DNA sequence: TATTGTTATACTCTATAACTATA
DNA sequence: TATAGTTATAGAGTATAACAATA
């Protein structure tokens, strides 16, 4: 048995000996490193392989918009309608949501969370709140609010372009 | 021919009619939307399918660290050694880099950019600079610097945890 | 004609284990 | 025994085209 526990999960982050040149000044590069680390932290905190960030987002959006259509959920989280299908199917199979039918539009579905889905979402809110508080410690006083505002401005600006 | 140019490329961004609940206050959610938009903007600006953000990062790191080893490149951009292999092979095939051998370590390779690689990198620097300037407009005065500092603090903090 | 949910497909990305050759 | 580069593979994510039902 050679084991060889190599090929680490891409822990990311410039090594001290390596000169990353202009990359630390490139917004896209820094966004990628940050997202990688935050996603990994989310997975460790949630401790459930089947609940990844998109699943959390989907549950939140359905909870806040009872009867919402899959199309609008997809647009809200930046996933195509086609790729949302297996995600919804998995959440339905887990018993977290049900698909009703839209009275006004025979083509559309009306999504609702089950009590189990709401309970899962409540748990996720607690886990995420603790994680975000820990991240906020790294950002200094007011850092979290500033970061969220800047990302919001970036999103609304870039979306129009 | 039905065409049906649907399934938009996941343009992302909460629709005005949809309530995204607590998501706009979740750092990971906002990071994902931002990264999605910035990556798409990068692709449009570069206008070359074969040059994606990781390719740009790899060229930059080799240029700033002549003779660097693939292992260190992989760690710097948050990609596993195994997954770096096809990326390097593609860049080598495009004539942008060469793989020499490390004098001090027979196992390692020493990566160097070719003149064509340096030229491509110079072009990419110009494209990225224009893109970043446009993004900076959305962020307000000092916004870019603040965003980069916050992302840096987030990365260094989360990397230790 | 256009849209909603869906299927199918392809390609990228990511993760993991294991091999070889060097150390 | 440990590391560097590689191979292979499986899974997730993403992009695109097309279809049936409905509007």
């Amino acid at each position: 048995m050679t084991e060889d526990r190599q090929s680490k999960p891409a822990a990311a982050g410039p090594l001290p000996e390596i000169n990353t040149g202009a990359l630390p000044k490139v917004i896209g590069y820094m966004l990628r490193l940050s997202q990688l680390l935050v996603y990994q932290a989310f997975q460790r905190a949630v401790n459930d392989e089947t609940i990844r960030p998109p699943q959390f987002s989907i549950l939140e959006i359905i909870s806040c918009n009872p009867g919402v259509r899959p199309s609008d959920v997809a647009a809200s989280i930046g996933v195509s309608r086609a790729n949302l299908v297996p995600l919804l199917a998995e959440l339905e199979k887990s018993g977290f949501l049900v698909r009703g039918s839209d009275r006004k539009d025979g083509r559309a579905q009306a999504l609702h969370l089950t009590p189990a889905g709401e309970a899962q979402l409540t748990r996720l809110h607690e886990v995420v709140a603790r994680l975000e508080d820990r991240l906020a410690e790294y950002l200094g006083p007011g850092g979290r609010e500033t970061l969220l505002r800047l990302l919001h401005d970036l999103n609304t600006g870039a979306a129009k372009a």
Side-chain angles (χ1 to χ4, degrees), chain A:
Chain A
M1 202 188 295
T2 329
E3 188 48 34
D4 189 356
R5 34 77 196 88
Q6 67 168 37
S7 296
K8 52 221 164 181
L15 301 184
E17 321 88 47
I18 298 295
N19 175 11
T20 49
L23 295 181
K25 297 294 173 199
V26 176
I27 295 173
Y29 173 79
M30 295 301 285
L31 283 175
R32 170 175 153 76
L33 292 188
S34 297
Q35 206 214 3
L36 214 58
L37 287 166
V38 171
Y39 266 45
Q40 290 169 355
F42 177 92
Q43 285 303 94
R44 283 196 303 271
V46 170
N47 197 29
D48 179 344
E49 284 286 322
T50 69
I51 301 290
R52 293 172 295 278
Q55 277 78 4
F56 168 64
S57 299
I58 293 168
L59 293 178
E60 174 76 2
I61 287 173
I62 298 177
S63 177
C64 294
N65 305 272
V68 70
R69 302 174 309 158
S71 272
D72 291 332
V73 174
S76 297
I77 63 172
V79 165
S80 71
R81 285 183 297 143
N83 293 333
L84 185 68
V85 173
L87 300 179
L88 289 182
E90 187 188 30
L91 288 170
E92 186 181 32
K93 193 174 155 198
S94 299
F96 294 150
L97 63 82
V98 289
R99 306 165 187 239
S101 46
D102 192 316
R103 310 283 187 189
K104 304 167 185 170
D105 190 335
R107 298 168 298 182
Q109 297 175 355
L111 302 174
H112 294 271
L113 289 195
T114 61
E118 292 288 354
Q120 174 69 282
L121 181 57
T122 298
R123 173 190 158 248
L124 291 176
H125 272 143
E126 293 165 359
V127 170
V128 168
R130 280 198 299 273
L131 170 60
E132 297 271 317
D133 287 346
R134 190 160 57 75
L135 295 179
E137 290 176 18
Y138 308 138
L139 298 176
R144 166 164 40 186
E145 292 71 25
T146 303
L147 177 59
L148 290 172
R149 181 179 56 76
L150 288 170
L151 292 177
H152 174 265
D153 292 347
L154 191 64
N155 289 341
T156 52
K160 285 182 301 189

